Amino acid sequence: MMRLCADKRNGRIGGIKLTFSLFFSLLVNGLSMGMIYAMIAMGLILLIRAVGVLNFAQGDLLMVGAYIACVLFMDFKLPFYVAMPLALVFYGLIGLIFMMVTYWPLRRASYVVAPIIATMGASLVLSEGTMILFGSWPRTIVPLLSNSKGSALTINLFGTRLQAQFLLIIAVAVVVMSLIYLLFERTYIGIMMQAAAQDKPAAELMGISTLMTTAVTYILVTVLVSIGGYMVAPIYTVTTSLSALQLRAFAGTVIGGFGSIKGAIIGCLLVGTVESFATVKFSSYKDAIVFLILIIFLIFRPQGLIVDKVADKA
């Protein structure tokens, strides 16, 4: 698979020599993918807190974000300082349209789960629509950090050769998620959004627009997961199967504690790390191992690692 220098302090897992280089490489890969899952999960939690909707199209929004970046960077060949702001504008517009189609017309429906079912339909529309527009053939996108030949840049860290894209994913995810968390928890607009989520009539009496706070939430969530799609695209290639990453994010959310942002991040990092190390011996069954851990949590600790109260629907 990859040639790595041996370490005298190595051990064995299932007959496979685990060198420090291999361990560190698997750890970084696992944490980077865990961060992608965490970005998806954080978006899920924010929507649940703000409007009480579990979005089953979250992975498809990530996939659409990857395709938009691919078109701007690879098809139109726009420079980064033009393509990235333009991509963010498209991400925000998609989030606004997604809200107006799947949630706003159904927010007062007598069937309370109607908005959730609408996200299931939106998932199919996004997936099939993307396939119609771009075909089913996987597309590639140049990593943000690349060498002079256009291939992925690698760096030597603690004697281990790593793809710089994995480290960039961790750094970008930490920055983006921290900014959104601070926005919701430490700013005036974040306080307004939480007020609208907890008590809609009282918030409207205070002059807080529920439409505005809900729209901002959907825009931020879509931008968050779409950036994740752009970051992971150079690793997985750009294809509709990227939407399947949502399943790991769901697992991490449940393991960490449904409704808790901190718990979801911890759970997703755990999922990413377990998935990465499972490839050493059980590459074909890594998903089964992840969901086996999920089942164990559902049996013995269904509330997850961290328990947090979920706000009422706006």
Side-chain angles (χ1 to χ4, degrees):
M1 185 173 66
M2 63 174 68
R3 297 188 63 182
L4 299 169
C5 60
D7 193 310
K8 292 182 180 179
R9 297 170 298 172
N10 56 51
R12 288 180 177 272
I13 295 180
I16 296 178
K17 184 180 291 186
L18 183 65
T19 65
F20 173 78
S21 294
L22 177 58
F23 174 85
F24 187 65
S25 176
L26 292 172
L27 180 63
V28 171
N29 293 357
L31 291 177
S32 64
M33 290 309 303
M35 281 296 185
I36 295 295
Y37 305 152
M39 294 175 80
I40 301 174
M42 187 176 186
L44 289 171
I45 300 301
L46 291 178
L47 280 182
I48 292 171
R49 284 187 167 187
V51 295
V53 172
L54 178 60
N55 183 18
F56 283 95
Q58 196 83 335
D60 296 276
L61 291 174
L62 177 140
M63 175 266 297
V64 170
Y67 269 100
I68 289 175
C70 184
V71 169
L72 294 176
F73 282 98
M74 306 304 294
D75 294 349
F76 291 100
K77 300 187 183 302
L78 298 176
F80 179 83
Y81 61 85
V82 174
M84 199 64 230
L86 194 57
L88 292 177
V89 171
F90 280 120
Y91 297 160
L93 288 175
I94 290 173
L96 188 60
I97 294 171
F98 186 81
M99 181 206 75
M100 298 304 296
V101 171
T102 63
Y103 172 71
W104 198 253
L106 303 171
R107 67 190 186 283
R108 293 191 177 94
S110 57
Y111 192 45
V112 293
V113 297
I116 300 177
I117 295 176
T119 66
M120 297 180 183
S123 172
L124 292 174
V125 171
L126 289 172
S127 178
E128 297 300 324
T130 302
M131 190 170 294
I132 291 173
L133 285 175
F134 301 104
S136 58
W137 194 259
R139 307 186 68 184
T140 58
I141 184 170
V142 177
L144 189 57
L145 298 177
S146 57
N147 55 30
S148 57
K149 298 180 180 179
S151 56
L153 178 68
T154 59
I155 61 174
N156 192 307
L157 191 62
F158 301 118
T160 305
R161 300 295 296 179
L162 298 169
Q163 266 197 52
Q165 186 72 18
F166 287 109
L167 299 175
L168 183 64
I169 287 174
I170 296 174
V172 170
V174 169
V175 171
V176 173
M177 290 192 296
S178 297
L179 289 175
I180 291 181
Y181 180 80
L182 291 174
L183 174 66
F184 273 86
E185 300 293 334
R186 297 289 186 267
T187 65
Y188 180 70
I189 188 172
I191 294 173
M192 287 196 305
M193 294 168 74
Q194 292 188 58
Q198 294 172 8
D199 194 333
K200 174 185 173 182
E204 290 182 339
L205 288 174
M206 296 173 62
I208 298 175
S209 171
T210 303
L211 173 61
M212 184 273 291
T213 56
T214 304
V216 170
T217 301
Y218 270 90
I219 289 172
L220 288 176
V221 166
T222 305
V223 169
L224 174 65
V225 297
S226 296
I227 291 175
Y230 167 53
M231 298 305 299
V232 78
I235 298 173
Y236 273 87
T237 71
V238 182
T239 174
T240 54
S241 62
L242 284 175
S243 60
L245 298 180
Q246 176 174 295
L247 296 175
R248 280 89 153 188
F250 271 132
T253 303
V254 174
I255 291 172
F258 210 86
S260 169
I261 292 178
K262 291 182 289 186
I265 293 173
I266 294 172
C268 288
L269 290 177
L270 176 63
V271 167
T273 304
V274 169
E275 183 182 38
S276 179
F277 279 92
T279 60
V280 176
K281 183 65 176 177
F282 307 102
S283 180
S284 301
Y285 305 100
K286 59 180 182 179
D287 289 339
I289 294 174
V290 168
F291 288 98
L292 176 61
I293 295 175
L294 172 61
I295 292 172
I296 293 173
F297 266 87
L298 288 174
I299 294 173
F300 296 103
R301 191 174 174 83
Q303 71 272 31
L305 295 172
I306 299 177
V307 181
D308 202 354
K309 185 178 180 180
V310 180
D312 295 329
K313 179 181 176 181

